[in-house]
């Protein structure tokens, strides 16, 4: 039986993810490439509801000489198809793909709010799903990471092309006589995602499994099913174990033994997220062990000023009134030796983090021998359970802080660098791991950290 035409399957998928059931503003991310042009065409001319109110959004990252011409071409396409367009150009080109992606997402969210659009459609397809699952698996991820990208995600993101493969999207576009812009940077093997797309996945399909991409997409579907089941169990356990009491949450310690550790870990992470704290696996494991085993009267300090106090058969989780209320930001991830920079937030402090092959002369700077480190590196706040290797063996960061007389209030503000295995390489301003020393003239990566808080103007205020 021949497959149904793509536009029919597209309309079915739209309804499944809740798009097109009623007229509503929909923002479409339009780069000018084949995927986004095909998506706009399908939404404009093949959607089940002709009353769907479309607006396209295009961000010129200023990263390529031809980007301005691309923006002009996109404007002409939207005019020809009768689709309103919002476009913007960045004054400063992003330093890397991660920074570009964040700028693009911020632009889309800002534009959607201004238009009152509850949904933002992007052109992600099945090949993107396969690459995402493999990328996350190779870098180390849990079940949620293996679930990949969702057809309908957080913040109103929808991906109407997710069930379709790149090859059939391009075939459909050619059959309809569509034209698009080609981004030559997508052919570069510099970015890790491009290398997966052009080298690793083709080799895997040639030598390991001809259906590697399809198998990865199937894996993501299985992971989503398992993730949904665990989430349902965790919600039930949360209601049974956790109660709210005077601006705090109380965990019934005696009830923990009735649930699998994977479920209880999810309960703890869901609880801590209410305080803006997102612990990693080591931090979750250490905190859970403390709640299970610590005697009454003991306390444990967590990132973001959150405190866990054991009160007989209860564990009280709260943020004292004098603790910093600002939640932690996401760790800065360094995927390789390509130069870059981002902002890090830890313990209410903001830092500017930069890395590259040359020293910047910053007061907080670490030189890392490229032959002895495992990417990706992650720079974030201290987590309970973190340990560092010294000349005399490994020790917990808590013990290190006591030995170095680091005040408790300052500990969560210190950036901590970990490698892909979770090993602590550096506690900025306090200690570095006993890494192999730099070879004379050998390749290295310099990582520098500066305070990103605005400094007061030393000039006197001359207003009068």
């Amino acid at each position: 039986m021949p497959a149904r035409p793509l536009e029919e399957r597209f309309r079915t998928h739209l309804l499944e993810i809740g798009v097109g059931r009623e007229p509503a503003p929909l923002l479409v991310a339009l780069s000018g490439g084949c995927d986004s042009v095909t998506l706009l065409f399908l939404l404009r001319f093949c959607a089940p509801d002709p009353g769907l109110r479309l607006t396209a959004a295009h961000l010129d990252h200023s990263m390529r000489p031809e980007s301005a011409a691309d923006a002009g071409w996109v404007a002409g396409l939207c005019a020809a198809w009768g689709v309103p367009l919002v476009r913007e150009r960045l004054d400063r080109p992003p330093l890397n793909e991660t920074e570009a992606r964040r700028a693009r997402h911020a632009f889309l969210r800002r534009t959607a709010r201004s238009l009152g659009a509850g949904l933002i459609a992007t052109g992600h397809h099945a090949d993107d799903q396969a690459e995402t699952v493999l990328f996350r698996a190779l870098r180390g991820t849990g079940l949620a990471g293996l679930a990949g990208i969702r057809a309908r995600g957080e913040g109103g993101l929808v991906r109407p092309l997710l069930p379709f493969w790149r090859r059939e999207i391009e075939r459909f576009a050619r059959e309809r006589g569509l034209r698009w812009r080609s981004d030559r940077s997508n052919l570069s093997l510099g970015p890790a995602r491009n290398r997966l797309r052009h080298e690793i996945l083709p080799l895997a399909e040639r030598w390991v499994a001809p259906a590697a991409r399809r198998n990865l997409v199937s894996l993501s579907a299985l992971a989503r099913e398992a993730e949904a089941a665990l989430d349902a169990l965790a919600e039930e356990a949360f209601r049974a174990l956790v109660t709210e009491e005077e601006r705090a949450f109380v965990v019934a310690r005696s009830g923990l033994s009735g649930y699998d550790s994977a479920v209880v870990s999810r309960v703890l992470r869901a609880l801590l997220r209410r305080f803006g704290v997102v612990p990693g696996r080591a931090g979750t494991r250490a905190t859970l062990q403390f709640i299970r085993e610590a005697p009454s009267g003991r306390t444990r300090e967590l990132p973001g000023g959150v405190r866990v106090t054991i009160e007989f058969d209860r564990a009280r989780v709260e943020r004292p009134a004098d603790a910093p209320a600002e939640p932690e930001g996401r760790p800065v991830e360094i995927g390789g030796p390509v130069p870059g920079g981002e902002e890090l937030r830890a313990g209410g402090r903001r830092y500017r983090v930069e890395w590259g092959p040359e020293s910047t002369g910053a007061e907080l700077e670490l030189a890392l021998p490229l032959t002895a480190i495992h990417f990706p590196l992650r720079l974030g706040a201290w987590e309970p359970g973190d340990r560092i290797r010294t000349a005399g063996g490994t020790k917990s960061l808590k013990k290190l802080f006591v030995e170095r007389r680091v005040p408790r209030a300052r500990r969560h503000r210190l950036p901590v660098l970990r490698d892909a295995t979770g090993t602590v390489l550096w506690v900025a301003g306090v200690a570095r791991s006993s890494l192999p020393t730099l070879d004379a003239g050998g390749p290295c990566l310099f990582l520098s950290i500066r305070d990103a808080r605005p400094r007061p103007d030393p000039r006197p205020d001359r207003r009068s």
Side-chain angles (χ1 to χ4, degrees), residues 311-334:
E311 301 172 340
F312 301 104
D313 64 342
R314 314 186 324 158
R316 185 181 180 86
V317 184
E318 61 188 335
R319 177 185 282 119
D322 58 348
E326 185 175 5
E328 302 301 308
R330 292 182 300 177
V332 169
E333 182 170 299
I334 304 171

Side-chain angles (χ1 to χ4, degrees), residues 230-245:
L230 281 171
D231 280 344
L233 291 173
E235 288 180 12
E236 177 187 329
F238 193 101
R239 290 192 295 269
L241 297 172
V242 181
T243 55
E244 192 168 359
E245 181 181 295

Side-chain angles (χ1 to χ4, degrees), residues 68-378:
D70 290 347
W73 185 90
V74 163
L77 176 72
C78 289
W81 288 358
V83 177
L85 172 67
V86 177
R87 60 175 177 167
E88 191 174 293
R89 179 181 174 88
L90 295 180
D91 295 329
R92 180 185 65 82
L95 295 173
N96 50 49
E97 290 297 324
T98 299
E99 193 172 310
R101 183 172 61 253
R102 290 179 179 171
R104 184 166 60 252
H105 288 177
F107 162 69
L108 291 172
R109 288 192 298 269
R110 186 171 63 251
T111 303
R113 285 195 301 269
S114 68
L115 297 172
L119 297 176
I120 303 172
T122 65
H124 293 90
H125 46 66
D127 289 270
D128 293 319
Q129 181 75 290
E131 293 162 12
T132 297
V133 173
L134 181 58
F135 182 81
R136 292 177 179 177
L138 292 175
R139 289 197 165 192
T141 187
L143 197 59
L146 290 179
I149 51 182
R150 300 176 184 272
R152 182 154 185 164
E154 297 180 357
L157 280 174
V158 291
R159 301 174 176 98
L161 294 181
L162 201 56
F164 307 100
W165 296 93
R166 178 183 292 114
R167 182 178 299 175
E168 61 180 327
I169 292 171
E170 291 182 352
R171 183 171 61 246
F172 174 86
R174 291 192 180 96
E175 290 173 353
R176 297 302 184 278
L178 302 182
R179 295 184 179 182
W180 58 86
R181 303 288 284 186
S182 297
D183 183 350
R184 289 177 296 177
S185 66
N186 289 332
L187 301 176
S188 168
L189 296 181
R193 293 292 293 262
N194 286 3
R195 192 170 292 274
L196 280 179
R197 179 180 305 155
H198 299 301
E199 280 194 348
I200 297 176
L201 271 170
L203 285 173
E205 291 189 322
R206 181 177 180 183
W207 297 107
V208 181
R213 284 182 173 86
R214 293 187 180 276
N215 293 341
L216 287 166
V217 171
S218 297
L219 175 62
S220 71
L222 292 172
R224 280 195 299 277
E225 292 176 3
E227 182 78 2
L230 281 171
D231 280 344
L233 291 173
E235 288 180 12
E236 177 187 329
F238 193 101
R239 290 192 295 269
L241 297 172
V242 181
T243 55
E244 192 168 359
E245 181 181 295
E246 297 177 0
R247 300 178 62 186
F249 291 90
V250 176
V251 180
R253 301 171 73 195
S254 59
L256 296 176
S257 60
Y259 295 91
D260 185 86
S261 60
V263 175
V264 177
S265 295
R266 285 170 180 259
V267 171
L268 179 60
R269 285 195 292 271
L271 173 56
L272 294 178
R273 275 197 293 270
R274 300 191 178 205
F275 294 95
V277 175
V278 185
R281 278 175 287 181
T284 300
R285 187 165 53 247
T287 304
L288 187 56
Q289 183 179 5
F290 173 80
I291 291 174
R292 289 182 186 273
E293 302 175 4
S296 182
R298 294 288 297 274
T299 63
R300 188 178 188 87
E301 302 291 335
L302 303 181
V306 176
R307 179 183 300 165
V308 182
T309 305
I310 305 301
E311 301 172 340
F312 301 104
D313 64 342
R314 314 186 324 158
R316 185 181 180 86
V317 184
E318 61 188 335
R319 177 185 282 119
D322 58 348
E326 185 175 5
E328 302 301 308
R330 292 182 300 177
V332 169
E333 182 170 299
I334 304 171
V338 179
E342 289 187 35
E343 186 178 274
L344 170 70
R345 190 169 69 243
R349 291 285 296 274
R350 295 178 181 273
Y351 301 94
R352 178 63 186 173
V353 182
E354 296 178 349
W355 58 91
E358 298 180 356
S359 170
T360 64
E363 183 178 353
L364 293 178
E365 186 173 73
L366 179 69
L368 295 159
L370 291 179
T371 56
I373 55 178
H374 304 284
F375 290 104
L377 307 178
R378 291 181 176 86

